[in-house]
Amino acid sequence: QVQVVESGGGVVQPGTSLRLSCTAYGFTIRNYGMQWVRQAPGKGLEWVALIWSDGSKINYADSVRGRFTISRDKSINTLYLQMNSLRAEDTAVYYCARDLSFGSHEYWGQGTQVTVSS
Amino acid sequence: QSALTQPPSASGSPGQSVSISCTGTSSDIGTYDYVSWYQHHPGKAPKLMIYEVTKRPSGVPDRFSGSKSGNTASLTVSGLQAEDEADYYCTSYVRSNNIVIFGGGTKLTVL
């Protein structure tokens, strides 16, 4: 059964770092494009980052570029989102998702909560 | 890249049809057929309902359909059911920039 499970969220102070993990079950992440999407409290969904299946292309939303890094460890079938220099506005539920085709996210996790607060 | 424009709300009675619009620009929706629609019930994982403008993933009822004209895409839900009440989001993948743009979301209410 295809499933993705996020972990690593928590409460952190502004300026600190956090690494989110997304473990894939039922498929191999190297065969699929993967994305991170977030939803801030009371707001809509916001795309954060993507990585192509072959890893040749990676990109980020302007709001996180230079602070967040998407990566993957194929040996343990896990996608990561390294988040540095966190800000209050990064507070959100973070979802990882597997692509069906360009820009379409077929399988989503339940999300992991990140709260940035002093 | 600016967010796609969706109406904040839409509504219809059970059995009726409702359409939700998603307006972009000639740089995103107007150029690429990579428009997707998601259904999101609060507290749950979003669900892909339509991809590549008109395609339905396996398991999505054919009551849900998508279309595009110029810079505007639309999601139509026919034969509204109570369980269709949710937030709906459109997205456009802009291949030239390798980015995904979300719409602001539309809250669909089944009266």
Side-chain angles (χ1 to χ4, degrees):
Chain A
Q1 181 182 354
V2 173
Q3 195 177 2
V4 293
V5 179
E6 305 95 338
S7 61
V11 180
V12 296
Q13 293 191 331
T16 61
S17 299
L18 200 61
R19 188 179 78 165
L20 306 183
S21 299
C22 169
T23 302
Y25 300 94
F27 70 98
T28 303
I29 62 171
R30 67 171 177 264
N31 293 333
Y32 291 90
M34 300 290 293
Q35 319 255 345
W36 287 97
V37 175
R38 68 184 181 183
Q39 185 174 35
K43 303 290 187 181
L45 297 173
E46 178 190 16
W47 172 72
V48 174
L50 64 81
I51 181 168
W52 278 23
S53 59
D54 61 4
S56 63
K57 290 191 185 295
I58 286 174
N59 208 358
Y60 304 91
D62 288 344
S63 56
V64 307
R65 186 175 291 114
R67 301 186 299 122
F68 289 13
T69 302
I70 187 172
S71 64
R72 59 190 183 179
D73 186 336
K74 289 174 279 186
S75 68
I76 56 173
N77 221 25
T78 298
L79 179 76
Y80 298 105
L81 186 68
Q82 176 67 43
M83 305 186 295
N84 298 332
S85 303
L86 282 162
R87 307 167 179 167
E89 54 264 36
D90 296 319
T91 294
V93 175
Y94 284 73
Y95 298 95
C96 82
R98 189 191 92 171
D99 283 356
L100 174 60
S101 73
F102 286 118
S104 66
H105 320 319
E106 183 180 20
Y107 291 97
W108 296 66
Q110 289 300 311
T112 186
Q113 175 72 50
V114 172
T115 302
V116 185
S117 173
S118 55
Chain B
Q1 208 90 17
S2 300
L4 306 175
T5 301
Q6 297 182 235
S9 63
S11 63
S13 299
Q16 288 187 331
S17 293
V18 63
S19 290
I20 299 171
S21 62
C22 171
T23 301
T25 69
S26 58
S27 299
D28 40 65
I29 292 179
T31 295
Y32 301 100
D33 286 339
Y34 294 123
V35 177
S36 300
W37 289 91
Y38 299 88
Q39 178 189 70
H40 191 202
H41 290 104
K44 293 194 170 183
K47 179 181 179 181
L48 178 66
M49 306 303 285
I50 297 289
Y51 69 103
E52 293 179 6
V53 182
T54 62
K55 298 177 181 178
R56 276 188 309 275
S58 174
V60 173
D62 60 6
R63 302 187 295 104
F64 292 85
S65 62
S67 62
K68 187 183 88 166
S69 178
N71 299 337
T72 298
S74 297
L75 172 73
T76 298
V77 185
S78 305
L80 270 175
Q81 299 180 4
E83 59 262 36
D84 299 334
E85 186 164 294
D87 297 321
Y88 289 83
Y89 295 88
C90 62
T91 68
S92 176
Y93 172 68
V94 181
R95 189 160 184 173
S96 60
N97 295 340
N98 198 34
I99 63 171
V100 177
I101 310 171
F102 270 85
T106 298
K107 182 175 181 58
L108 175 61
T109 301
V110 180
L111 302 170

